[in-house]
Amino acid sequence: MASATPLNLANIQGDILGGLPKKTQTNVFFRILNVPVFRKQLKTLVPRITTADQVLKHRQDIKNHKDKGNTGLLKISGVNIAFSHFGFVKLGINDSKLAGPGGPANDPYIKGQLSDSQSLNDPGTGAGPTFQPNWLPEFKQQLHGIIVFTGDSHATVDANKKAVLAIFGIPGTAPSIQVITSITGDVRPGKEAGHEHFGFLDGISNPAVIGFDTNPPPGPAPVRSGIILLGHDGDDVPTRDPWMVDGSFLAFRYLFQLVPEFNKFLQNNPIKVPGLSDAEGSELLGARLVGRWKSGAPVDLRPFDDDPALAADPQKNNNFAFTAELTTQKICPFAAHVRKTNPRADLNNNVETHRILRRGIQFGPEVTPDEQKQNKTIENRGLIFHSYQSDISNGFRFLQTLWANNPAFPFTETTPQQPGFDAIIGQAPAGQTRSLSGTDPDNPATSLTLPVLWVVPRGGEYFFSPSINALKGTISA
Ligand code: N7H
């Protein structure tokens, strides 16, 4: 389909392209109670929605603020909104053209993530139609939408949330929506800022989008805007309804992380390499499971020790493609998380249709001394995972089911080893144990058994984040 470039950044919600700047984020999940009233009120919300061009301005303001030597944070707040299929059904809007190329009958967005959870291998009970994932009860009902609030502080986010909920009559006697649950995530404190709870720097590799990202650093090829936005060059459905153009699907996953248990596993299984202490061997195992060191330095460029300077250099830290060893696992295991989720040269760099924009944030406290002592999770913590893509089946779902959960991927013709599961997010079918090869660089065929799932899904949904025109028009009309 014809490209809509140059992109109309004032029409695209800001978390999709650019990402709402955030130290904290609150996600409000809602159901619509009163359709006509909600529609009217939504019109009032639209001018408050943060757009992609405003994100560019916010980021420039933050830079200017820092350049002036200011130490405190600039007060910035953002808000975006997205709807599930069930939300559009409630609104009486025909969203069948949001389905992927296979049509609506079996489309994950149309079915909703709860119905998809068994195919994602989420842990649960029962099988087939009686399957119930081990999700929190609030995510086992039909959610109609999500409002994402971001900002520099809880005070900023809370004030924005209060003002937005007031638009929908909350608190009050006749609200047009019901808040089902609200979850807040925060950037981790101090030196851990930007690192997820296992300790690894996150948010390094996101695809540059043609028409938006000017001058991207060396690394994987930029993607066409239609890989992320509907109705653009690269969108695999040629006939979207006009209101769908400039929107994007938001895959949300509520992922709990068992950090003390993960650390204990690393501690118990140090990689034995001459010259490395046990602690260094454990550090190496962690790096080989992820494909990056905690600093963010890629294992493909720095296989046996960390290199914080490499990690900090955006000209180098994403400029690799596993080309040094397409047929061995000495440098980086085939099943390393970043190799599973972006296999680069393993697929001749033919990965464009499976790139996603990740916009996650951490939730929960730091590991407590008590948890450390017992090697056991007591407090809830993890990742509020958000990813944007123009096709859920090719994006989030492809990475999860056909790559991370698939022990045979990447398909290796010239080596006898089966890669195994992505140790971070790979999920085996019920009753099966996870393992992977390649963690020991000197014995790549040795298989390492993974005793527990350290990333546990407790909820999720697929949403559609519409354009500003759609919010002003079809959705609120
Ligand atoms: Fe992953 N982790 O800490 O191990 N991820 N991830 N992820 N992830 C990445 O390159 C992590 C999850 C992707 O282009 C890094 O930005 C954790 C899901 C993709 O090279 C780290 C969780 C999915 C990439 C982590 C989690 C993905 C990526 C390296 C859950 C999709 C980019 C930093 C709690 C299904 C790959 C970086 C590339 C990178 C971690 C979830 C996908 C450190 C802890 C559910 C596409």
Side-chain angles (χ1 to χ4, degrees):
M1 143 161 234
S3 171
T5 47
L7 300 176
N8 179 0
L9 298 184
N11 195 36
I12 299 166
Q13 295 203 56
D15 207 28
I16 305 169
L17 296 183
L20 300 173
K22 57 181 184 278
K23 292 290 178 205
T24 178
Q25 179 199 65
T26 293
N27 298 272
V28 171
F29 299 89
F30 65 91
R31 283 177 64 86
I32 299 164
L33 301 173
N34 185 325
V35 170
V37 174
F38 173 78
R39 285 203 144 131
K40 246 185 25 225
Q41 293 167 338
L42 184 62
K43 274 211 184 338
T44 322
L45 173 68
V46 175
R48 297 182 77 106
I49 298 287
T50 315
T51 55
D53 58 348
Q54 282 165 343
V55 163
L56 290 179
K57 181 175 178 307
H58 287 171
R59 293 208 177 271
Q60 188 58 48
D61 291 347
I62 293 169
K63 185 176 181 302
N64 295 345
H65 182 75
K66 280 190 192 152
D67 289 350
K68 282 190 201 138
N70 294 303
T71 45
L73 294 177
L74 194 61
K75 188 174 159 182
I76 300 254
S77 71
V79 58
N80 274 192
I81 189 166
F83 296 87
S84 69
H85 166 67
F86 309 108
F88 287 128
V89 170
K90 176 80 183 175
L91 290 167
I93 294 170
N94 178 351
D95 67 348
S96 55
K97 294 269 181 65
L98 285 180
N106 217 7
D107 184 77
Y109 173 77
I110 304 287
K111 283 194 315 187
Q113 199 182 104
L114 182 62
S115 304
D116 200 28
S117 59
Q118 191 175 16
S119 322
L120 299 174
N121 287 353
D122 283 8
T125 49
T130 66
F131 177 76
Q132 284 289 324
N134 296 341
W135 286 10
L136 299 172
E138 50 271 36
F139 294 105
K140 287 199 196 169
Q141 57 187 299
Q142 289 187 351
L143 301 168
H144 291 161
I146 177 176
I147 310 177
V148 180
F149 297 97
T150 55
D152 55 294
S153 68
H154 286 178
T156 307
V157 163
D158 290 348
N160 200 10
K161 177 178 160 187
K162 196 168 166 205
V164 167
L165 291 186
I167 293 177
F168 296 111
I170 298 176
T173 50
S176 70
I177 62 171
Q178 178 193 2
V179 172
I180 301 298
T181 188
S182 200
I183 58 179
T184 293
D186 295 292
V187 167
R188 290 181 60 205
K191 281 205 318 272
E192 294 302 325
H195 294 244
E196 54 67 58
H197 275 294
F198 293 143
F200 295 86
L201 187 65
D202 206 352
I204 306 166
S205 182
N206 261 328
V209 176
I210 295 167
F212 181 74
D213 292 289
T214 44
N215 215 3
V223 300
R224 288 168 294 162
S225 51
I227 298 300
I228 307 298
L229 296 167
L230 275 68
H232 289 247
D233 180 27
D235 178 4
D236 55 8
V237 176
T239 54
R240 301 286 191 184
D241 288 341
W243 67 270
M244 298 168 179
V245 172
D246 283 352
S248 184
F249 291 102
L250 162 56
F252 153 70
R253 297 275 283 164
Y254 197 16
L255 301 173
F256 286 46
Q257 289 174 252
L258 306 185
V259 179
E261 289 85 346
F262 179 77
N263 287 340
K264 181 69 183 156
F265 177 78
L266 298 185
Q267 202 191 337
N268 287 349
N269 294 280
I271 294 177
K272 305 279 184 199
V273 172
L276 286 196
S277 68
D278 274 0
E280 288 164 338
S282 295
E283 201 72 18
L284 178 59
L285 175 60
R288 289 178 74 82
L289 295 182
V290 172
R292 287 187 185 265
W293 295 86
K294 285 188 172 169
S295 67
V299 166
D300 193 44
L301 298 180
R302 191 77 182 193
F304 301 116
D305 59 351
D306 196 355
D307 182 350
L310 165 64
D313 185 347
Q315 294 303 311
K316 296 187 180 152
N317 66 14
N318 206 21
N319 195 15
F320 63 94
F322 310 112
T323 35
E325 43 129 35
L326 288 172
T327 58
T328 76
Q329 311 198 66
K330 183 147 182 82
I331 296 179
C332 182
F334 294 125
H337 175 60
V338 303
R339 194 163 186 174
K340 279 275 192 183
T341 55
N342 186 5
R344 304 183 189 215
D346 289 329
L347 289 183
N348 294 322
N349 294 311
N350 195 5
V351 290
E352 189 199 24
T353 51
H354 307 303
R355 303 297 313 278
I356 58 176
L357 279 174
R358 290 172 301 129
R359 305 284 183 221
I361 194 163
Q362 282 58 57
F363 71 91
E366 295 297 292
V367 171
T368 63
D370 214 21
E371 291 179 292
Q372 229 158 23
K373 214 165 84 195
Q374 297 184 39
N375 300 311
K376 190 175 166 353
T377 297
I378 300 166
E379 308 283 339
N380 292 331
R381 65 176 63 76
L383 175 71
I384 301 172
F385 176 87
H386 285 185
S387 75
Y388 290 98
Q389 55 266 289
S390 63
D391 182 336
I392 297 276
S393 301
N394 264 340
F396 159 74
R397 206 175 175 286
F398 203 96
L399 274 53
Q400 182 69 56
T401 59
L402 293 168
W403 290 353
N405 293 359
N406 180 356
F409 184 82
F411 312 109
T412 51
E413 286 163 16
T414 42
T415 167
Q417 293 120 31
Q418 155 131 313
F421 287 87
D422 177 329
I424 305 300
I425 61 159
Q427 302 188 144
Q432 288 185 26
T433 309
R434 304 186 309 152
S435 65
L436 76 163
S437 64
T439 52
D440 180 345
D442 293 325
N443 302 291
T446 306
S447 169
L448 181 66
T449 299
L450 308 170
V452 275
L453 200 59
W454 297 292
V455 171
V456 184
R458 302 301 311 276
E461 186 48 289
Y462 302 129
F463 297 101
F464 179 66
S465 179
S467 70
I468 301 300
N469 285 341
L471 289 169
K472 275 198 262 187
T474 305
I475 301 172
S476 63

